[in-house]
Amino acid sequence: MNTEQTIPFKDTAKSGVGDAPRVPTKQRQALHWNWQDALYLFLLLAIVVGMAIRYTPNITGEVAGMWWDPLLNIWTLTWDVTTLLHAPAQLWQAPLLYPNPLTLSYSENLLGDALLFAPFYLLSHNPVFAFNMVFYLSFLLCGINMYLLARYFTGNPFAAFIAALIYAFAPYRISQIDHIHVVAGEWIPVAFLYLDRSLKEGKWRHWSLFALFYLLQLLSSIYYGIFLTYTLIAYLLFRYGQPVWKAWRKSGRRYLRQLLRSATKPIVVFAVVFVILAILMTPYLLSLGSGLSRGIDQSESYSAFISDFAFSAPYNWLHGGNFYNGIPINNDSEHHLFLGWTTMLLTAIGIFLVLKQHNKTIRTFIWTGLTILLFSFGPVLQFSTTSGAPLIQGPPMPVFIHPFPPAIPMPWYLAYFILPGFKGLRVPARLIGVLLMVLALLAAYTIATVSTWLQEKQRPVKTMQATTSLDALPGKPLSSTPIRFLLIRAVLLLIPLVLLIESYPSSMPLTQIPTGNQIPGVYQWLATHGGNTPIVELPMSFLDTNISSKQEAWYDYYTIYHSHPIANGWSGYRPQLTTDIAGGILSFPSPNSIAVLRAYHIQYVVVHPQLYKPISKAPDMNALLASAGIRLAAQYGQETIWQVIL
């Protein structure tokens, strides 16, 4: 029996582009890049450069987004680069949330992004500038890599450009500017690209590139890494499950031997990947075993609601709004899932065309996308909040004993209990970042099909015009191109502009961040005193009564400039020990609070009176000076540093 007929992943090797829309007279040329590809990639670069100039003109001292997660991410990237260069064994024992273990695993490690961050940081020594470069490079790489995938499946440069715009600049991605690990989905398209090429051509190079891009995505975003893993499994089952089963039933052991002979390369590559994953994921597994896992109720509140697909970020120029039914719409929300009307229309047409034309390859992406969408709804299907507005997140964390109607159990609920990784994920709605790839590819299929139809319909007209004499048709000169073709081409050319208009933010929330000698004096003092002895900064969030835990992200950031572990910190997870310490020193400088500080060998206390909430009270200066357990070490304006007498 012919191998190409029995091994399903060879079924499209001859065509090179699967069963994508074909241009009959230019099939071979469509697979080779030309000046159009260079033009479209240059346009992607120009868009990203325009974003940087428009939204963060002070690229060395401000970042897009609300402060808390960008500050955490800037610190994480700086910690990654500095520690890997000077003390790699200490990578996971980060200085936040002292004395808890493996604190880097409490949030995204961003090691993949650190590869982009490192050269800019090492050259400039400015963490804000380096972060901004990673931020904008993520948009650019999302566009370029989606272009590669769509170009591969359609052979059409313009269709690939449309896919790149959708994937890189969709309203959903723009709404996630606070979360670099959600923006950074750049390796997902090329992981799919090289998986497909590996299965068709079986080359070491393709398997190795697939493994590289898969690992880069996992390192850039644990969320996307886990989502990508299960999405790839779903894709393989939809794509090859039925053919493999049929061939197995028909040929039995002979087919199994053929598969095993073809599996040498992927087995070797996946063995290497598994070893790397075991090393990288062990700290997360240990943290999960120590209680870091997310409750099912948290997944419910951070799932996609059906109504969320009607909401974009408030700063979206065309579709944004600050209120809905009197409820404020928060900038920092996981419930801004609007995809864009143009994207949804092109996707719907693409689904219709794929099913009508029986395109097996692209049809697989439809079922994969449907699976992603179902899982994005989280443990139970919820239509909307009571007000209809997006759910406002914020401390204290909203917990729903009864989720919003219709509360129908969804696949996530089962996966939470049986599939590895799901208990560490809080936000099922972030699956929309993976779904964007499917939508972009289906939209590209629509554009490629329409372009092919135009070429095929116009060819007879041009042939007739070339062979028909005008003298033979007195009074009826032939138009060079029928008006309907011109209109269709005009609509196609307008689509990129419409996509960008739907995504365009009228403004972005910005956070101004001091660097270098601009940092507060207390941190300059800490940089030269006390070595790496533990400290605590007050106010320290205790159930958000005296300061919001998000404000502690500033404490994260300033550890870039000193070497002290801090008992504070804003991260993806706040352990119980940190809450206990916060409660114990709430009465500082009482004897009980001093005892807690001594018990954990905390040597310095930095007091920021201006950060206390109005409803709380900063420690009285006279009481501080009168305390026998501490002494004043330094003072900069209102801010003071106190040394604990151990």
Side-chain angles (χ1 to χ4, degrees), residues 280-515:
L280 292 173
M281 298 306 293
T282 295
Y284 286 95
L285 295 175
L286 292 173
S287 295
L288 282 172
S290 302
L292 187 144
S293 61
R294 309 295 187 177
I296 198 75
D297 52 349
Q298 288 189 353
S299 298
E300 289 173 358
S301 62
Y302 284 96
S303 297
F305 294 13
I306 294 175
S307 63
D308 291 342
F309 290 94
F311 291 95
S312 64
Y315 45 82
N316 183 287
W317 177 66
L318 193 60
H319 305 290
N322 294 313
F323 292 90
Y324 184 84
N325 286 342
I327 303 297
I329 298 179
N330 198 343
N331 280 337
D332 178 48
S333 174
E334 300 288 359
H335 294 271
H336 301 148
L337 307 184
F338 181 65
L339 301 169
W341 293 114
T342 308
T343 297
M344 290 189 284
L345 177 60
L346 292 174
T347 300
I349 297 173
I351 292 173
F352 171 78
L353 293 172
V354 168
L355 297 179
K356 181 181 179 181
Q357 298 173 2
H358 304 288
N359 187 310
K360 293 181 180 179
T361 300
I362 308 299
R363 186 174 62 191
T364 301
F365 282 100
I366 295 177
W367 306 132
T368 304
L370 179 61
T371 303
I372 295 170
L373 180 63
L374 291 176
F375 271 86
S376 73
F377 291 125
V380 294
L381 183 66
Q382 302 171 86
F383 182 78
S384 73
T385 60
T386 304
S387 67
L391 182 64
I392 298 177
Q393 302 293 351
M397 183 71 65
V399 175
F400 306 122
I401 299 176
H402 301 290
F404 294 106
I408 300 171
M410 299 297 287
W412 183 284
Y413 189 88
L414 182 62
Y416 178 85
F417 293 102
I418 65 174
L419 293 180
F422 274 76
K423 286 190 176 180
L425 301 176
R426 180 176 57 179
V427 193
R430 288 179 180 169
L431 271 164
I432 302 304
V434 185
L435 181 64
L436 277 176
M437 183 203 70
V438 177
L439 303 183
L441 189 57
L442 289 169
Y445 187 88
T446 299
I447 300 300
T449 302
V450 173
S451 298
T452 301
W453 177 83
L454 282 173
Q455 292 179 4
E456 292 175 347
K457 292 295 184 182
Q458 285 185 271
R459 191 175 299 111
V461 173
K462 292 180 179 180
T463 302
M464 182 179 66
Q465 291 172 345
T467 58
T468 302
S469 170
L470 291 180
D471 295 336
L473 297 170
K476 295 183 179 180
L478 290 173
S479 171
S480 60
T481 304
I483 189 66
R484 60 172 178 163
F485 294 149
L486 292 175
L487 289 175
I488 294 173
R489 288 191 178 279
V491 170
L492 290 178
L493 292 175
L494 283 174
I495 287 176
L497 179 61
V498 174
L499 287 171
L500 292 176
I501 289 175
E502 284 206 270
S503 301
Y504 180 73
S506 56
S507 62
M508 282 189 184
L510 293 176
T511 297
Q512 305 294 326
I513 303 176
T515 59

Side-chain angles (χ1 to χ4, degrees), residues 10-41:
K10 297 261 188 169
D11 62 352
T12 53
K14 289 183 177 179
S15 69
V17 289
D19 34 8
R22 294 178 297 172
V23 181
T25 60
K26 298 183 179 180
Q27 181 66 43
R28 185 171 300 177
Q29 294 90 326
L31 302 180
H32 296 85
W33 283 37
N34 53 42
W35 66 270
Q36 295 179 23
D37 299 291
L39 172 63
Y40 291 133
L41 294 181

Side-chain angles (χ1 to χ4, degrees), residues 23 37 74 108 128 251 259 331 350 370 385 495 565 567 581 583 618 635:
V23 181
D37 299 291
I74 293 171
E108 293 280 354
V128 176
S251 304
L259 283 179
N331 280 337
L370 179 61
T385 60
I495 287 176
I581 292 175
Q635 182 170 2

Side-chain angles (χ1 to χ4, degrees), residues 49-116:
V49 171
M51 285 178 61
I53 295 173
R54 169 70 174 83
Y55 298 112
T56 51
N58 180 19
I59 202 168
T60 62
E62 63 184 4
V63 298
M66 305 300 288
W67 71 89
W68 44 92
D69 284 320
L71 289 172
L72 170 62
N73 294 331
I74 293 171
W75 165 80
T76 301
L77 289 165
T78 309
W79 170 259
D80 288 345
V81 171
T82 305
T83 308
L84 287 174
L85 287 176
H86 301 291
Q90 300 299 315
L91 176 67
W92 296 99
Q93 193 55 53
L96 307 185
L97 301 169
Y98 167 88
N100 292 282
L102 305 174
T103 47
L104 184 64
S105 67
Y106 292 177
S107 191
E108 293 280 354
N109 59 63
L110 303 181
L111 290 169
D113 286 331
L115 297 175
L116 302 176

Side-chain angles (χ1 to χ4, degrees), residues 113 138 142 167 173 179-188 217 220-221 224:
D113 286 331
S138 295
C142 280
Y167 188 70
R173 194 175 303 281
H179 307 119
I180 188 66
H181 55 287
V182 183
V183 171
E186 59 261 35
W187 308 115
I188 295 175
Q217 189 57 70
S220 299
S221 172
Y224 280 158

